[in-house]
Amino acid sequence: MKAGFVLKPKDTLKIKSLFLKVKEIFESKNIEVLLDLVSAKAIGFRGVEFKELCEESDFLVAFGGDGTLISLARRSYKYDKPILGINVGNLGFLTDINPDNVDEFLDKFLEGKYRIDERMVIEVGYKGKSLYAFNDVVISKDIISSMINIEVNTQESFLNTYRGDGLIISTPTGSTAYNLSAGGPVVYPLTEGFILTPICPHSLTQRPLVLPSNFEIEVSTKEVAKLILDGQEIYNLNDKITINKAKKPIKLIHRIERNYFDVLREKLKWGEVK
């Protein structure tokens, strides 16, 4: 069995010692560790090209925080490999395994005592190409001092023209990210749907909206704008885009014991009495 590791791009050297400990644990369980070439160069190791990493590995490992996992999920999407997140970051909504419990988890993993969550992915059609987003698609104004008008249509009919700083179209997985900061709802991550949340809307009547995942959404603007995928990939938007549910989900490896509502209470500090 082979595991393909991608390390947190920032502070890679700081997590080198932790990675070596985890690597040793994996190899003690007869799991061969492959390391992404970019990660390997950052810590002075030999690595393999990302394409080879995805093709050769039985599963992928994001060794970092949620951002590392989101990036890996999007980049490896076409290879359809399950992803394990080991959290050496801060938030940990998606990465629920810590370096301290890797040994215990791998024992259960090799016994088949784990679960795979399938998470919806957004497919963005732009200029004849398909782009993918795991968390969200953001259409944002490009000029700080001005507002942007964003027209949204569905196959049903014209939906709305959003006027403000921009629009977030989120997956349920991304509902606890930028969407939540902009006043959008928290949506259980294994549901399927599009969450449309305006950013600083000009009108107080512009509210978040949840649409079924089988809708095709068309978004366009005549102003200078940016198209941002997962907060990590940025494109100049000068044409319309289409939003659809991607054909395949992202597969995340989790402990059987993991409870999403426990994660929400812990990360969002729900129910705490000061």
Side-chain angles (χ1 to χ4, degrees):
M1 182 178 289
K2 296 180 181 180
F5 272 69
V6 172
L7 309 186
K8 183 179 180 181
K10 295 181 180 179
D11 303 324
T12 308
L13 279 174
K14 291 183 179 180
I15 62 173
K16 177 180 178 180
S17 59
L18 268 178
F19 165 68
L20 292 178
K21 291 178 182 177
V22 168
K23 179 176 180 289
E24 186 177 338
I25 294 171
F26 269 70
E27 291 173 341
S28 72
K29 314 288 184 184
N30 293 318
I31 302 174
E32 182 181 347
V33 171
L34 302 179
L35 186 58
D36 170 58
L37 185 61
V38 174
S39 302
K41 285 182 176 179
I43 60 172
F45 270 52
R46 293 178 60 186
V48 298
E49 294 285 354
F50 186 76
K51 180 177 183 290
E52 182 182 347
L53 182 88
C54 294
E55 290 176 342
E56 294 294 323
S57 299
D58 295 290
F59 64 100
L60 302 174
V61 181
F63 195 77
D66 284 350
T68 307
L69 189 147
I70 290 165
S71 174
L72 176 57
R74 188 180 62 255
R75 292 172 61 209
S76 68
Y77 175 73
K78 68 179 181 180
Y79 299 100
D80 198 26
K81 296 295 175 75
I83 301 171
L84 172 68
I86 299 179
N87 185 29
V88 292
N90 296 314
L91 199 55
F93 264 105
L94 300 171
T95 50
D96 65 320
I97 308 298
N98 295 314
D100 291 341
N101 56 32
V102 165
D103 196 340
E104 177 186 358
F105 171 76
L106 285 181
D107 284 340
K108 293 182 178 180
F109 176 75
L110 293 171
E111 294 173 359
K113 297 177 180 177
Y114 64 95
R115 77 167 196 253
I116 290 183
D117 288 353
E118 295 190 345
R119 304 288 187 96
M120 173 185 158
V121 178
I122 292 175
E123 181 176 350
V124 182
Y126 182 50
K127 292 187 174 180
K129 295 182 179 180
S130 290
L131 308 172
Y132 297 95
F134 186 36
N135 253 12
D136 51 43
V137 175
V138 176
I139 297 90
S140 175
K141 64 180 185 178
D142 195 40
I143 302 172
I144 295 175
S145 60
S146 66
M147 288 189 287
I148 187 173
N149 293 292
I150 302 170
E151 183 177 305
V152 178
N153 291 272
T154 73
Q155 76 268 33
E156 298 287 321
S157 65
F158 166 70
L159 174 62
N160 193 9
T161 296
Y162 293 93
R163 179 171 170 79
D165 284 358
L167 178 68
I168 304 165
I169 303 174
S170 169
T171 64
T173 296
S175 69
T176 49
Y178 193 8
N179 166 75
L180 185 61
S181 299
V186 176
V187 178
Y188 189 72
L190 300 187
T191 57
E192 293 187 345
F194 299 108
I195 308 158
L196 278 64
T197 302
I199 305 168
C200 298
H202 183 59
S203 171
L204 293 178
T205 62
Q206 303 277 20
R207 310 306 301 167
L209 175 68
V210 180
L211 295 177
S213 64
N214 63 349
F215 271 38
E216 178 173 274
I217 303 169
E218 184 180 286
V219 183
S220 60
T221 181
K222 295 180 180 179
E223 285 118 326
V224 178
K226 295 292 185 184
L227 170 64
I228 307 169
L229 308 180
D230 292 336
Q232 297 173 343
E233 290 185 15
I234 303 176
Y235 301 86
N236 291 319
L237 181 60
N238 51 17
D239 199 354
K240 71 178 181 181
I241 63 171
T242 57
I243 301 288
N244 285 281
K245 172 190 165 185
K247 294 179 181 179
K248 298 181 296 184
I250 292 291
K251 300 171 184 175
L252 299 185
I253 301 171
H254 287 297
R255 296 176 295 115
I256 289 178
E257 302 85 0
R258 186 178 191 267
N259 183 291
Y260 178 69
F261 299 111
D262 289 343
V263 175
L264 279 184
R265 285 193 298 271
E266 177 190 352
K267 304 304 179 183
L268 302 182
K269 311 299 181 186
W270 285 358
E272 288 191 359
V273 179
K274 295 184 178 179

